[in-house]
Amino acid sequence: MLLIPAIDLKDGHCVRLKQGEMEGATVFSEDPAAMARHWVSLGARRLHLVDLNGAFAGKPKNESAIKAILKEVGDEIPVQLGGGIRDLDTIERCLDDGLTYVIIGTAAVKNPGFLHDACGAFPGHVIVGLDAKDGKVAVDGWSKMTGHDVIDLAKKFEDYGVEGIIYTDIGRDGMLNGVNIEATVKLAQALRIPVIASGGIANLKDIKALCAVQSEGIMGAITGRAIYEGKLDFKKAQAEADKLSGK
Protein backbone atom coordinates (compact mmCIF):
# COMPACT_ATOMS: atom_id res chain seq x y z
CA MET A 1 0.00 0.00 0.00
CA LEU A 2 1.52 3.20 -1.23
CA LEU A 3 0.91 6.30 0.89
CA ILE A 4 1.09 9.33 -1.37
CA PRO A 5 1.56 12.78 0.19
CA ALA A 6 -0.50 15.49 -1.47
CA ILE A 7 1.01 18.87 -2.28
CA ASP A 8 -1.83 21.21 -3.20
CA LEU A 9 -0.55 24.35 -4.91
CA LYS A 10 -2.27 27.73 -4.74
CA ASP A 11 -0.50 30.96 -5.73
CA GLY A 12 2.85 29.13 -5.53
CA HIS A 13 2.27 27.94 -1.95
CA CYS A 14 1.53 24.53 -0.49
CA VAL A 15 -2.00 24.63 0.96
CA ARG A 16 -4.88 22.37 1.98
CA LEU A 17 -8.56 22.96 1.38
CA LYS A 18 -11.62 21.70 3.21
CA GLN A 19 -14.09 20.13 0.78
CA GLY A 20 -12.62 21.99 -2.18
CA GLU A 21 -13.33 25.49 -0.86
CA MET A 22 -10.61 27.84 -2.19
CA GLU A 23 -11.53 30.51 0.39
CA GLY A 24 -10.82 28.11 3.23
CA ALA A 25 -7.24 27.34 2.17
CA THR A 26 -4.67 26.79 4.93
CA VAL A 27 -1.09 27.61 3.88
CA PHE A 28 1.31 24.93 5.13
CA SER A 29 4.47 25.99 3.29
CA GLU A 30 5.78 28.86 1.21
CA ASP A 31 8.31 26.47 -0.37
CA PRO A 32 6.64 23.49 -2.12
CA ALA A 33 9.99 22.06 -3.32
CA ALA A 34 11.25 21.88 0.27
CA MET A 35 7.97 20.24 1.25
CA ALA A 36 8.45 17.65 -1.52
CA ARG A 37 11.97 16.94 -0.24
CA HIS A 38 10.57 16.58 3.29
CA TRP A 39 8.11 13.86 2.28
CA VAL A 40 10.69 12.00 0.19
CA SER A 41 13.13 12.09 3.14
CA LEU A 42 10.41 10.43 5.24
CA GLY A 43 10.03 7.60 2.72
CA ALA A 44 7.42 8.78 0.21
CA ARG A 45 7.59 6.71 -2.97
CA ARG A 46 5.26 8.91 -5.03
CA LEU A 47 3.98 12.48 -4.79
CA HIS A 48 0.55 13.83 -5.71
CA LEU A 49 0.46 17.45 -6.89
CA VAL A 50 -2.69 19.47 -7.47
CA ASP A 51 -2.63 22.81 -9.25
CA LEU A 52 -5.65 24.39 -7.54
CA ASN A 53 -5.48 27.62 -9.53
CA GLY A 54 -5.19 25.49 -12.68
CA ALA A 55 -8.24 23.43 -11.78
CA PHE A 56 -10.34 26.60 -11.63
CA ALA A 57 -8.67 28.33 -14.60
CA GLY A 58 -8.69 25.30 -16.90
CA LYS A 59 -4.93 25.40 -17.52
CA PRO A 60 -1.85 24.97 -15.28
CA LYS A 61 -1.04 28.09 -13.25
CA ASN A 62 1.64 26.92 -10.79
CA GLU A 63 4.22 25.79 -13.32
CA SER A 64 7.23 27.38 -11.62
CA ALA A 65 6.41 25.61 -8.33
CA ILE A 66 5.82 22.32 -10.16
CA LYS A 67 9.14 22.62 -11.99
CA ALA A 68 10.91 23.38 -8.72
CA ILE A 69 9.42 20.22 -7.16
CA LEU A 70 10.44 18.12 -10.17
CA LYS A 71 13.96 19.54 -10.05
CA GLU A 72 14.13 18.66 -6.36
CA VAL A 73 12.76 15.09 -6.38
CA GLY A 74 11.57 14.15 -9.89
CA ASP A 75 14.55 11.89 -10.65
CA GLU A 76 13.98 9.86 -7.48
CA ILE A 77 10.27 9.05 -7.43
CA PRO A 78 7.23 9.31 -9.71
CA VAL A 79 5.30 12.57 -9.45
CA GLN A 80 1.69 12.95 -10.61
CA LEU A 81 -0.21 16.17 -11.30
CA GLY A 82 -3.85 17.10 -11.56
CA GLY A 83 -5.59 20.42 -12.07
CA GLY A 84 -6.26 22.22 -15.33
CA ILE A 85 -5.11 19.47 -17.69
CA ARG A 86 -7.55 19.89 -20.58
CA ASP A 87 -5.58 19.34 -23.81
CA LEU A 88 -2.89 17.16 -25.35
CA ASP A 89 -0.33 19.98 -25.56
CA THR A 90 -0.53 20.49 -21.81
CA ILE A 91 -0.02 16.76 -21.20
CA GLU A 92 3.02 16.72 -23.49
CA ARG A 93 4.50 19.73 -21.71
CA CYS A 94 3.90 18.13 -18.29
CA LEU A 95 5.60 14.88 -19.28
CA ASP A 96 8.48 16.76 -20.90
CA ASP A 97 8.96 18.67 -17.64
CA GLY A 98 9.44 15.34 -15.85
CA LEU A 99 6.04 14.37 -14.49
CA THR A 100 5.34 10.64 -14.60
CA TYR A 101 1.54 10.81 -14.58
CA VAL A 102 -1.10 13.39 -15.42
CA ILE A 103 -4.49 13.24 -13.74
CA ILE A 104 -7.52 14.17 -15.77
CA GLY A 105 -10.70 14.90 -13.83
CA THR A 106 -13.48 17.17 -15.03
CA ALA A 107 -12.25 17.04 -18.64
CA ALA A 108 -12.52 13.23 -18.65
CA VAL A 109 -16.19 13.43 -17.70
CA LYS A 110 -17.13 16.36 -19.91
CA ASN A 111 -14.99 15.44 -22.91
CA PRO A 112 -14.40 11.67 -23.02
CA GLY A 113 -13.05 12.00 -26.57
CA PHE A 114 -10.13 14.02 -25.19
CA LEU A 115 -9.41 11.33 -22.60
CA HIS A 116 -9.52 8.64 -25.29
CA ASP A 117 -7.03 10.62 -27.39
CA ALA A 118 -4.79 11.22 -24.36
CA CYS A 119 -4.64 7.50 -23.52
CA GLY A 120 -3.74 6.75 -27.15
CA ALA A 121 -1.07 9.46 -27.36
CA PHE A 122 0.49 8.94 -23.91
CA PRO A 123 -0.08 5.30 -22.89
CA GLY A 124 0.87 4.50 -19.31
CA HIS A 125 0.86 8.13 -18.21
CA VAL A 126 -2.84 8.99 -17.82
CA ILE A 127 -4.77 8.60 -14.56
CA VAL A 128 -8.39 9.66 -14.13
CA GLY A 129 -9.56 11.40 -10.99
CA LEU A 130 -13.19 10.65 -10.18
CA ASP A 131 -14.82 12.67 -7.42
CA ALA A 132 -18.12 11.30 -6.23
CA LYS A 133 -20.80 11.62 -3.61
CA ASP A 134 -23.38 8.88 -3.03
CA GLY A 135 -22.06 7.05 -6.09
CA LYS A 136 -22.55 9.98 -8.49
CA VAL A 137 -19.70 11.89 -10.13
CA ALA A 138 -19.08 15.59 -9.44
CA VAL A 139 -17.21 18.00 -11.74
CA ASP A 140 -15.90 21.58 -11.82
CA GLY A 141 -14.16 21.59 -8.47
CA TRP A 142 -17.04 19.61 -6.97
CA SER A 143 -19.46 22.46 -7.64
CA LYS A 144 -21.68 20.44 -10.00
CA MET A 145 -23.12 16.97 -9.55
CA THR A 146 -23.67 14.88 -12.66
CA GLY A 147 -26.00 11.94 -13.20
CA HIS A 148 -23.06 9.66 -14.04
CA ASP A 149 -22.62 6.53 -11.97
CA VAL A 150 -18.99 6.37 -10.81
CA ILE A 151 -18.54 2.65 -11.54
CA ASP A 152 -20.04 2.84 -15.04
CA LEU A 153 -17.81 5.77 -15.92
CA ALA A 154 -14.70 4.14 -14.46
CA LYS A 155 -15.31 0.98 -16.52
CA LYS A 156 -15.62 3.05 -19.68
CA PHE A 157 -12.35 4.85 -18.94
CA GLU A 158 -10.65 1.53 -18.16
CA ASP A 159 -11.52 0.44 -21.70
CA TYR A 160 -9.86 3.60 -23.02
CA GLY A 161 -6.59 2.49 -21.42
CA VAL A 162 -6.19 4.71 -18.35
CA GLU A 163 -3.46 3.67 -15.94
CA GLY A 164 -5.58 3.89 -12.81
CA ILE A 165 -8.39 5.73 -11.01
CA ILE A 166 -8.04 8.14 -8.10
CA TYR A 167 -11.31 7.96 -6.22
CA THR A 168 -12.29 10.79 -3.89
CA ASP A 169 -15.34 10.78 -1.69
CA ILE A 170 -16.01 14.50 -1.72
CA GLY A 171 -18.13 14.37 1.40
CA ARG A 172 -15.01 13.42 3.35
CA ASP A 173 -12.07 15.19 1.71
CA GLY A 174 -10.11 17.42 4.06
CA MET A 175 -12.51 16.64 6.91
CA LEU A 176 -10.39 13.96 8.65
CA ASN A 177 -13.41 11.74 9.24
CA GLY A 178 -12.23 8.51 7.65
CA VAL A 179 -12.08 7.00 4.19
CA ASN A 180 -15.23 5.65 2.56
CA ILE A 181 -13.85 2.10 2.48
CA GLU A 182 -17.06 0.50 1.27
CA ALA A 183 -17.41 2.74 -1.80
CA THR A 184 -13.69 2.48 -2.63
CA VAL A 185 -13.74 -1.33 -2.45
CA LYS A 186 -16.91 -1.50 -4.54
CA LEU A 187 -15.22 0.53 -7.27
CA ALA A 188 -11.96 -1.45 -7.12
CA GLN A 189 -13.81 -4.77 -7.37
CA ALA A 190 -15.51 -3.61 -10.58
CA LEU A 191 -12.20 -2.74 -12.30
CA ARG A 192 -9.02 -4.45 -13.48
CA ILE A 193 -6.91 -1.29 -13.16
CA PRO A 194 -5.72 -0.10 -9.73
CA VAL A 195 -7.63 2.36 -7.58
CA ILE A 196 -6.00 4.99 -5.39
CA ALA A 197 -8.12 6.07 -2.43
CA SER A 198 -8.39 9.75 -1.60
CA GLY A 199 -10.30 11.90 0.83
CA GLY A 200 -10.75 11.65 4.56
CA ILE A 201 -7.67 9.78 5.82
CA ALA A 202 -7.40 10.78 9.47
CA ASN A 203 -5.11 8.35 11.28
CA LEU A 204 -3.36 4.99 11.33
CA LYS A 205 -6.68 3.20 11.73
CA ASP A 206 -7.68 4.34 8.24
CA ILE A 207 -4.39 3.06 6.82
CA LYS A 208 -4.90 -0.32 8.46
CA ALA A 209 -8.47 -0.50 7.14
CA LEU A 210 -7.23 0.19 3.59
CA CYS A 211 -4.44 -2.37 3.89
CA ALA A 212 -7.04 -4.97 4.88
CA VAL A 213 -8.79 -4.52 1.52
CA GLN A 214 -5.70 -3.86 -0.61
CA SER A 215 -6.11 -7.20 -2.39
CA GLU A 216 -9.38 -5.95 -3.92
CA GLY A 217 -7.32 -3.67 -6.17
CA ILE A 218 -6.51 -0.65 -4.01
CA MET A 219 -2.85 0.20 -4.65
CA GLY A 220 -2.47 3.35 -2.61
CA ALA A 221 -3.95 6.24 -0.70
CA ILE A 222 -3.44 9.98 -1.01
CA THR A 223 -3.04 11.79 2.29
CA GLY A 224 -3.00 15.51 2.91
CA ARG A 225 -4.41 17.36 5.91
CA ALA A 226 -3.70 14.50 8.37
CA ILE A 227 0.05 14.50 7.68
CA TYR A 228 0.29 18.30 7.60
CA GLU A 229 -1.51 18.70 10.91
CA GLY A 230 0.47 15.89 12.56
CA LYS A 231 -2.51 13.62 13.12
CA LEU A 232 -0.81 10.95 11.02
CA ASP A 233 2.92 10.28 11.25
CA PHE A 234 3.78 9.66 7.59
CA LYS A 235 6.95 7.65 8.20
CA LYS A 236 5.27 5.36 10.75
CA ALA A 237 2.17 5.00 8.59
CA GLN A 238 4.15 3.92 5.51
CA ALA A 239 6.18 1.47 7.62
CA GLU A 240 2.96 0.01 9.04
CA ALA A 241 1.42 -0.23 5.57
CA ASP A 242 4.53 -2.03 4.29
CA LYS A 243 4.38 -4.46 7.21
CA LEU A 244 0.69 -5.19 6.67
CA SER A 245 1.27 -5.59 2.94
CA GLY A 246 4.03 -8.12 3.61
CA LYS A 247 6.87 -5.94 2.31
Side-chain angles (χ1 to χ4, degrees):
M1 175 69 63
L2 207 56
L3 297 190
I4 308 171
I7 297 180
D8 288 2
L9 300 166
K10 179 176 184 263
D11 306 331
H13 302 148
C14 171
V15 305
R16 289 302 291 163
L17 306 185
K18 277 190 180 178
Q19 294 194 305
E21 293 289 335
M22 284 288 264
E23 296 76 31
T26 307
V27 176
F28 283 109
S29 173
E30 306 282 338
D31 187 346
M35 186 55 76
R37 170 55 57 201
H38 171 71
W39 296 127
V40 172
S41 72
L42 291 179
R45 299 198 286 269
R46 188 188 289 200
L47 288 179
H48 175 78
L49 312 185
V50 182
D51 185 336
L52 293 169
N53 303 100
F56 284 87
K59 58 185 176 184
K61 290 287 185 182
N62 283 281
E63 287 180 281
S64 58
I66 293 161
K67 283 179 180 176
I69 290 169
L70 290 168
K71 191 177 176 188
E72 184 67 37
V73 303
D75 292 340
E76 299 168 48
I77 61 166
V79 181
Q80 60 195 40
L81 170 72
I85 296 168
R86 309 273 164 93
D87 59 66
L88 297 179
D89 287 344
T90 300
I91 297 176
E92 187 167 25
R93 201 162 65 247
C94 286
L95 299 178
D96 284 347
D97 285 344
L99 284 158
T100 309
Y101 304 106
V102 293
I103 301 156
I104 302 175
T106 292
V109 182
K110 288 187 163 182
N111 186 0
F114 159 59
L115 179 67
H116 192 274
D117 291 346
C119 290
F122 308 103
H125 295 286
V126 178
I127 294 172
V128 166
L130 288 177
D131 306 327
K133 190 175 183 182
D134 302 325
K136 299 297 179 189
V137 174
V139 294
D140 292 335
W142 307 350
S143 61
K144 292 182 192 147
M145 295 303 297
T146 72
H148 293 296
D149 178 84
V150 68
I151 290 177
D152 291 347
L153 212 50
K155 281 180 162 178
K156 183 165 105 172
F157 295 160
E158 177 178 66
D159 291 341
Y160 288 178
V162 302
E163 189 68 10
I165 301 284
I166 294 172
Y167 175 68
T168 305
D169 184 314
I170 62 175
R172 300 187 183 218
D173 186 72
M175 302 305 286
L176 300 175
N177 56 4
V179 182
N180 190 333
I181 299 276
E182 187 186 351
T184 307
V185 167
K186 198 173 163 191
L187 178 63
Q189 286 174 335
L191 302 172
R192 299 180 304 278
I193 54 174
V195 170
I196 297 172
S198 170
I201 286 178
N203 50 41
L204 206 52
K205 192 174 88 174
D206 293 322
I207 304 301
K208 289 176 177 175
L210 280 169
C211 286
V213 293
Q214 183 177 359
S215 60
E216 302 292 352
I218 300 165
M219 70 159 284
I222 293 165
T223 173
R225 187 168 284 273
I227 55 174
Y228 285 99
E229 293 186 351
K231 293 180 171 65
L232 181 70
D233 181 315
F234 180 82
K235 193 172 186 177
K236 279 186 186 168
Q238 185 61 75
E240 180 70 16
D242 287 345
K243 190 173 86 180
L244 291 171
S245 305
K247 278 200 172 186

